Amino acid sequence: MAPTFVVVPQWQGSISPRAMRLVDGAAAIQGDLPFSATRLVDVPVEAGDALDTGVHRFSAIAQVRERHTKILKDTTDWALSIGGDCGITLAAVEHAARTHPNDLAVVWFDAHPDLHTPESSPSGGFCGMVLRAISGEGPTELDLQASSTVPLENVVLAGIRDVDDAEDVLLHERSLVSVSCSELADPAALVAAIAATGATHVFVHIDLDVLDPSALDGLSDLIPFGLSVADLGGAITALRAEFTLAGATITGFAPASPEAANDDLPSILRIIGALTR
């Protein structure tokens, strides 16, 4: 069955000076999605307030999460959520975890591990905290149920290369599994890492900054030595051959202009095709 496409043009989780471009990026991708299979989450215009959580713009992020969750509950199969910033992945993984209890692994294709808490974050941006929140170790105000979390031992980090000190400590203390960009040229190591979790369902998160800046112009963060589109597509194809896809997100498209978006869209559509065909 074809997935439902859920477009979530949230920008409030990002701390990038290009954050508002994420709204334009989501809209550009939406224009190439099948209309009848696409749902749009209404994102508030206002930035939102921290509400003493240590998370910038928390009130808006919480509101978007609630609206995203409501749409996901109405999907009949799996959903591909299109951001916006990578904070949208919280609701998407929550939904997949509830649908496949105790049988879900997460592949985190991202230049950043996003493992901060409000206490460790140097910025207060939720985009840098979302994976920690998915594990149930994030802000207490998110009020996640245990059945909708995925423990860090069921997460495989893929392509990370911009890691803060607090995240590096956690990576080593918890022996988290990470597959480098060079290793992803052959997806066998990634497939083996997911198999080692024992899960038969996999959720695939893609922050487009996992790609090398030479592969895509419209990145909100430019981190060199990333993946090629071909290597990312090959890794996705290998995962789908071995596991059942439970959901996915694509985030971080921040084009400078509509013309620049058009230049990047063929590459993004190749990634969407690898997830859906």
Side-chain angles (χ1 to χ4, degrees):
M1 184 180 292
T4 299
F5 299 94
V6 184
V7 178
V8 195
Q10 175 178 286
W11 59 273
Q12 289 92 337
S14 173
I15 58 161
S16 170
R18 305 182 185 190
M20 292 304 298
R21 294 183 185 177
L22 294 167
V23 179
D24 299 329
I29 298 172
Q30 182 181 359
D32 279 317
L33 300 177
F35 179 80
S36 62
T38 302
R39 306 289 181 267
L40 177 65
V41 174
D42 182 26
V43 173
V45 176
E46 62 272 12
D49 299 313
L51 303 180
D52 296 322
T53 62
V55 180
H56 289 338
R57 307 166 183 153
F58 179 84
S59 62
I61 291 165
Q63 190 173 36
V64 174
R65 174 194 175 203
E66 180 180 352
R67 293 172 180 177
H68 189 186
T69 298
K70 185 175 180 180
I71 288 177
L72 289 169
K73 285 180 178 178
D74 292 333
T75 59
T76 55
D77 196 45
W78 69 278
L80 171 54
S81 294
I82 307 286
D85 68 70
C86 61
I88 72 161
T89 309
L90 174 62
V93 175
E94 282 186 283
H95 174 73
R98 284 192 295 264
T99 306
H100 306 286
N102 303 311
D103 185 27
L104 184 67
V106 173
V107 178
W108 198 259
F109 286 105
D110 202 313
H112 311 90
D114 298 336
L115 288 169
H116 279 293
T117 64
E119 293 73 28
S120 71
S121 172
S123 68
F126 185 61
C127 214
M129 308 180 199
V130 61
L131 182 53
R132 193 73 176 273
I134 284 167
S135 74
E137 301 176 18
T140 56
E141 293 83 0
L142 289 173
D143 193 27
L144 270 73
Q145 298 180 0
S147 60
S148 63
T149 64
V150 178
L152 290 177
E153 52 265 32
N154 272 34
V155 173
V156 176
L157 299 157
I160 64 168
R161 55 198 188 278
D162 188 12
V163 182
D164 290 333
D165 289 345
E167 294 174 309
D168 192 50
V169 169
L170 185 74
L171 286 167
H172 288 90
E173 286 184 346
R174 304 279 285 273
S175 299
L176 302 186
V177 178
S178 179
V179 183
S180 69
C181 288
S182 60
E183 291 172 314
L184 287 166
D186 178 355
L190 178 63
V191 170
I194 294 298
T197 69
T200 64
H201 294 82
V202 63
F203 185 99
V204 176
H205 161 74
I206 301 167
D207 187 328
L208 291 170
D209 68 14
V210 76
L211 296 172
D212 191 81
S214 65
L216 209 70
D217 287 332
L219 299 175
S220 55
D221 290 298
L222 305 176
I223 313 296
F225 310 114
L227 290 178
S228 67
V229 174
D231 282 350
L232 176 57
I236 294 167
T237 299
L239 288 170
R240 292 190 64 205
E242 297 294 332
F243 308 99
T244 301
L245 190 60
T249 43
I250 296 177
T251 66
F253 185 38
S257 67
E259 294 75 22
N262 288 334
D263 291 340
D264 282 338
L265 280 171
S267 293
I268 295 172
L269 292 175
R270 283 179 63 190
I271 297 167
I272 291 173
L275 288 165
T276 60
R277 62 173 172 258

